[in-house]
Amino acid sequence: MWDTIIGHEAEKIFLRNMLTGQRKTPSLLFYGPEGIGKRKMARAFAQSFLCLENPLIPCTCRSCQAMENDSHPDFIEVEPGGKSRTIGVDAIHELIAKAAFGPVLSPYKVCLIDKAHTLREEAQNSLLKLLEEPPEYWLFLLVADQVEQLLPTIRSRVIGLRFDPLTEGETEQVLASIRLGENDRPESLAEADLSQAEAKWQRELPILAHLAGGSAGKALEWFRMDALELREEILDLLEQSGREDLLVYTAGLPWLLRNDREESLVMMELLLLLLRDGLILQSRLPQPLYNEDLRDRLGLCFADWSEKKIRQAMELTEKCRRGLNSFVVRRMAIEALFMEIHQLDKEI
């Protein structure tokens, strides 16, 4: 059962137990890091919960077929929308209106709220009314990456299931099962044949699996964004950060002119991983590196860096990431960051 979902065995056991005997309809919260399969598990559980025959085995009943075809009248999914990529109160008001109607095909109705951490506060307060007195035939499934963004009153009304990152082996297994589609092409191969993207995917898969820290979703998204090329660009700048003519050097970097916010945030995350690895190398800690494929190069890059300098550089990078998240222009933010890193040697 649920064999196509890799990992999360303890959570599967708990959910299977909910399907035996009379099915209860508590509200559940699936939480943990992004991209590890929480939504996929929630949808699979919803299909089993709505099943008209045996929910513990693969089934082809009318309900399960409707779920497979994304046409089940008793399954409702709410997800972020609009430019803000949040869930507003109108979406919850619409859900409240639907709560007045009973199930059509199955004995129950299931509502899955994906990215529940993006619920605006007013929307959370409206949802709370449903969670406090839910219709007896409704099951609510909340999926959240950042559980701390949910109000304590929401968290107190749900049964929380924590999903941990996949192991590196599990991540590779998930990624190896992916068949790239047209929308999965990396930006560098936007006009190329799909076979070229697939070849690049196979080359980069082991590195991305390791780099993404157990998040298969993040690994795929980073592939689409050419993250290994972004890593090369930010590492090159890190290696050059000691130059006295640093601003002259950055003026000749065309990638600094791109002002894609999401790409900039990924670059800051990659920079933090590089700095984290540098700290491990300088501290001589017996821990694996995120950028294991760059171990020798990072050893040279951070050879003259003190642990204090690396920690300060990480703090500056976090500050820069917050600025980029507030739509600060990339070139200004990154040039300022590396000039501050350049000055650290003079302050230490």
Side-chain angles (χ1 to χ4, degrees), residues 313-324:
M314 293 176 76
E315 292 173 4
L316 292 171
T317 302
E318 283 285 4
K319 177 183 173 183
C320 181
R321 180 159 68 170
R322 290 193 295 271
L324 289 166

Side-chain angles (χ1 to χ4, degrees), residues 184-197:
D184 295 323
R185 294 170 185 269
E187 295 177 16
S188 61
L189 297 176
E191 304 300 325
D193 187 82
L194 186 59
S195 62
Q196 292 181 254

Side-chain angles (χ1 to χ4, degrees), residues 17-36:
N17 290 337
M18 286 190 63
L19 297 173
T20 58
Q22 183 179 0
R23 292 174 219 177
K24 306 294 185 182
T25 57
S27 300
L28 302 178
L29 169 63
F30 294 35
Y31 70 96
E34 65 175 330
I36 60 173

Side-chain angles (χ1 to χ4, degrees), residues 219-290:
L220 179 58
E221 184 60 28
W222 280 8
F223 173 74
R224 294 173 182 143
M225 297 178 70
D226 284 315
L228 296 190
E229 283 80 354
L230 299 180
R231 182 182 66 161
E232 177 60 34
E233 291 168 342
I234 206 71
L235 177 55
D236 170 70
L237 191 49
L238 196 59
E239 291 170 328
Q240 302 298 327
S241 61
R243 297 172 61 127
E244 291 301 326
D245 62 342
L246 184 59
L247 286 179
V248 175
Y249 183 76
T250 58
L253 299 177
W255 60 267
L256 276 178
L257 298 175
R258 301 195 303 267
N259 207 35
D260 183 304
R261 175 172 168 269
E262 293 302 318
E263 183 182 277
S264 298
L265 292 173
V266 169
M267 293 190 87
M268 290 300 98
E269 188 170 354
L270 292 168
L271 176 56
L272 284 168
L273 293 179
L274 291 168
L275 290 167
R276 177 262 190 197
D277 286 349
L279 186 61
I280 288 175
L281 290 171
Q282 288 303 85
S283 305
R284 303 186 185 281
L285 296 173
Q287 294 184 21
L289 306 183
Y290 277 100

Side-chain angles (χ1 to χ4, degrees), residues 19-68:
L19 297 173
T20 58
Q22 183 179 0
R23 292 174 219 177
K24 306 294 185 182
T25 57
S27 300
L28 302 178
L29 169 63
F30 294 35
Y31 70 96
E34 65 175 330
I36 60 173
K38 301 185 302 297
R39 178 178 175 273
K40 186 175 182 180
M41 185 73 252
R43 281 187 64 94
F45 177 69
Q47 178 169 330
S48 296
F49 196 85
L50 293 170
C51 178
L52 298 173
E53 297 181 7
N54 188 341
L56 298 177
I57 62 174
C59 180
T60 57
C61 71
R62 288 188 300 140
S63 175
C64 290
Q65 287 181 351
M67 281 295 291
E68 293 287 348

Side-chain angles (χ1 to χ4, degrees), residues 2 45 50 55 57 92 95 102 138 142 167-168 194 212 252 254 277-278 280 307 319 326:
W2 304 327
F45 177 69
L50 293 170
I57 62 174
I92 304 304
L95 185 60
W138 274 67
L142 279 65
T167 66
E168 186 174 339
L194 186 59
D277 286 349
I280 288 175
E307 292 181 31
K319 177 183 173 183
S326 301

